[in-house]
Amino acid sequence: MKLIQSDAPHIRTKDSVRSIMLDVLLALAPAVAVATFFFGWYALFLCLFGAIVGELIEWFIVRVLRGQKDFSFDFSAAVTGLLLAMNLPPTAPWWLLLIGLLVALGVAKHAFGGIGQNIFNPALVGRIFLLISFPTLMTRWVSPVRGFAKSVWDAMTSATALGILKNSGFSAAIQRFSYTDLFFGNVGGCIGETSAFVLLLGFIYLLIRKRVNPVIPATYIGTVLAFASIMYLVNAEKFGTPLFHILSGGLFLGALFMATDMVTSPMTIKGQAVFGIGCGVVTMIIRLFAGYPEGVSLAIVLMNALVPLIDRAFKPKIFGEVKV
C-alpha cells in the first residue's frame, strides 16, 4: 500500500487563497467605485494599476527569480496592490505606486518567504516607505471633484479633516466637514479611505462570507471611541469628538481590511482583542500627541511586530496537559 505523507493542516475545505482574495477584491469594489466618483478616472486607474501590476511583480519574483514553475495567480498580490493604491493621495503619480509595490511585494512579502510568511502587512510597509521617502507627494490632498471625467489635478488643494483638527481645532474642522460628508466620503484624503459607508458595506459582505471575524475591528474602533471620549472630556476643542475620530482618516479602511489580515494578526480570539486594543491606543496617541495627524498605518505595523509575543501569551491550553 502506498501511503501519502503531507504537512498539516489535514482538514479539507473548499476555500482557497484565490477564493478568499477574490472575496476581498469584491468587498473593496464599492470603495473603488465611490473613490472614482469623488476623485475621477485617475483614482480608478491607480486602483487597477496597483492590482494588475502587483500580480505581475509577484509573477516575476516567484516564477522568474525563484524559478517556481507551478506558480499560479492567487490574487493576493492584487489585494496588496489595490490596498496600497487606496492608501495613496488621488494625485499620486503612477511611478510612486510602482515603487511602493516593489517595496511591499519584494521586501515586505517575498523577502520573508512569500504569502503566509510575512510579518508585516505588505501594503502598509509600502505606504510607510513612500510616506517617509516622498512626504510631499504623499500629503498632497485635494477636494473631491465629483465626476468620472474630471481631472483631479484641476481640483482645489485641501487639508484633511484630521489635519485641520490638529492645526486649527475642532470648531474649524467640523465647520469644514460635516459628519454626513465624512460618512459618505465627500472629503479629501487617500483614495480609498474617505467613505466609511461603503467600507462598512464591504466588510459586512466579508462577514457574511465568513472571511473575517469582527473581533479586531470591534476592539480597534471601540478603543478609538473610548480613548477619544476621554480626551473629549479633557478638551473638546483641541481633541474633537469621538464620532469625528471614528469617521475621519483611514480608521475604517485600516480596521476593517488591513488589521484583519489573517497572516499578520494573532490567531486566538483573546490575542485578536489585544491586537485591536493596541492598534486603537497607538492610533490615538499618534493622532493626538505626535506630529502626524494620522496613525493607523504605523499603529497596525507596530502591532504586527508584536503578534508573535501576543500569540505566545495567549496560546491555547493543550487538552489534557498537566503542568508538573
Side-chain angles (χ1 to χ4, degrees), residues 3-270:
L3 300 177
I4 299 174
Q5 185 177 10
S6 63
D7 297 328
H10 302 293
I11 299 175
R12 290 183 179 273
T13 174
K14 294 181 180 178
D15 291 333
S16 64
V17 173
R18 177 178 295 187
S19 64
I20 294 172
M21 294 302 158
L22 276 174
D23 275 338
V24 176
L25 291 173
L26 286 174
L28 290 170
V32 173
V34 169
T36 303
F37 171 74
F38 282 121
F39 297 116
W41 63 269
Y42 187 67
L44 178 61
F45 166 76
L46 286 180
C47 290
L48 294 176
F49 183 91
I52 295 171
V53 175
E55 282 292 309
L56 293 177
I57 290 174
E58 179 147 281
W59 172 84
F60 181 78
I61 293 173
V62 178
R63 183 66 179 83
V64 179
L65 296 184
R66 289 186 174 178
Q68 186 176 322
K69 296 182 180 179
D70 59 347
F71 170 81
S72 60
F73 294 103
D74 59 15
F75 303 119
S76 62
V79 170
T80 297
L82 177 56
L83 286 172
L84 178 58
M86 295 173 74
N87 274 281
L88 298 182
T91 56
W94 64 267
W95 55 264
L96 188 72
L97 176 55
L98 179 60
I99 293 174
L101 286 169
L102 292 171
V103 173
L105 296 168
V107 178
K109 184 176 180 180
H110 285 284
F112 288 89
I115 187 168
Q117 306 297 320
N118 52 294
I119 301 172
F120 303 102
N121 185 298
L124 289 180
V125 172
R127 182 180 190 273
I128 293 172
F129 174 82
L130 295 178
L131 190 62
I132 296 172
S133 305
F134 305 93
T136 303
L137 292 175
M138 286 294 290
T139 53
R140 185 187 294 170
W141 311 112
V142 295
S143 299
V145 295
R146 289 184 289 276
F148 175 78
K150 293 185 178 179
S151 171
V152 74
W153 293 282
D154 296 331
M156 293 180 60
T157 57
S158 171
T160 63
L162 289 175
I164 295 177
L165 173 65
K166 196 171 195 65
N167 296 320
S168 305
F170 178 68
S171 299
I174 197 62
Q175 190 174 14
R176 183 80 171 273
F177 304 106
S178 69
Y179 290 121
T180 303
D181 287 338
L182 291 171
F183 184 66
F184 288 104
N186 189 23
V187 296
C190 289
I191 291 173
E193 72 176 18
T194 58
S195 178
F197 173 63
V198 291
L199 290 170
L200 196 56
L201 287 181
F203 183 71
I204 291 173
Y205 170 76
L206 291 181
L207 283 178
I208 294 172
R209 295 281 294 164
K210 298 181 179 179
R211 300 307 192 193
V212 295
N213 73 59
V215 175
I216 291 177
T219 51
Y220 191 166
I221 297 173
T223 302
V224 169
L225 175 66
F227 201 124
S229 298
I230 295 171
M231 300 312 297
Y232 175 76
L233 296 176
V234 174
N235 189 332
E237 174 61 23
K238 181 178 180 181
F239 298 120
T241 66
L243 184 60
F244 193 86
H245 277 285
I246 288 176
L247 297 179
S248 303
L251 180 61
F252 268 67
L253 180 61
L256 302 183
F257 288 96
M258 307 190 83
T260 52
D261 177 13
M262 60 182 68
V263 175
T264 57
S265 59
M267 293 183 285
T268 64
I269 297 298
K270 290 181 180 177

